[in-house]
Amino acid sequence: MTDIKKLEQKRQEALDKANRMKKQIDKALNGQKFVLGAITMAVAENEPERIPQILADIERYATRKADISRLEGFKSEIGNNVPKGNFSSSSEANRPLIDDINF
């Protein structure tokens, strides 16, 4: 009977360790996403000629309603800073060449 308890305890310890590792991975990924978002915002502010591409990327990759809603204010703000004659109404010209990117 004690062998079963020892095995159950080892199993639980392994599960706990796996959960801690998953939390560490999630924290690292969230940190990367945060930094990349800040970089994107800085690019939009400092290089307005790149705003049409950023807007096209948002339209292409933001698919969840919650994400789209979160980005509305940002899109409106940077949309007002597009240099004249630099905005294409079609996002097709701004699409990356690789169409099978999954996020």
Side-chain angles (χ1 to χ4, degrees):
M1 191 60 107
T2 55
D3 288 340
I4 292 175
K5 286 187 179 186
K6 284 182 183 178
L7 289 173
E8 287 176 350
Q9 184 179 2
K10 284 184 179 182
R11 177 182 171 270
Q12 188 59 47
E13 288 171 357
L15 288 172
D16 292 345
K17 183 177 180 180
N19 285 334
R20 285 192 303 273
M21 291 175 72
K22 184 183 181 318
K23 285 181 183 179
Q24 287 177 333
I25 291 168
D26 289 347
K27 185 176 179 179
L29 288 173
N30 285 338
Q32 289 174 349
K33 291 175 187 178
F34 185 83
V35 171
L36 285 171
I39 290 170
T40 302
M41 293 174 83
V43 167
E45 184 178 329
N46 296 315
E47 300 178 40
E49 67 277 4
R50 292 177 61 185
I51 292 174
Q53 181 63 52
I54 293 169
L55 290 171
D57 289 342
I58 290 171
E59 290 296 320
R60 181 171 183 191
Y61 296 110
T63 56
R64 290 181 26 202
K65 286 183 180 183
D67 295 339
I68 293 167
S69 176
R70 269 190 195 114
L71 294 172
E72 284 303 320
F74 177 69
K75 286 172 44 179
S76 296
E77 183 180 331
I78 68 170
N80 293 331
N81 296 331
V82 175
K84 300 290 184 224
N86 199 13
F87 186 74
S88 170
S89 61
S90 169
S91 63
E92 289 297 317
N94 295 321
R95 286 191 154 199
L97 296 176
I98 302 172
D99 284 334
D100 59 353
I101 298 174
N102 292 318
F103 290 94

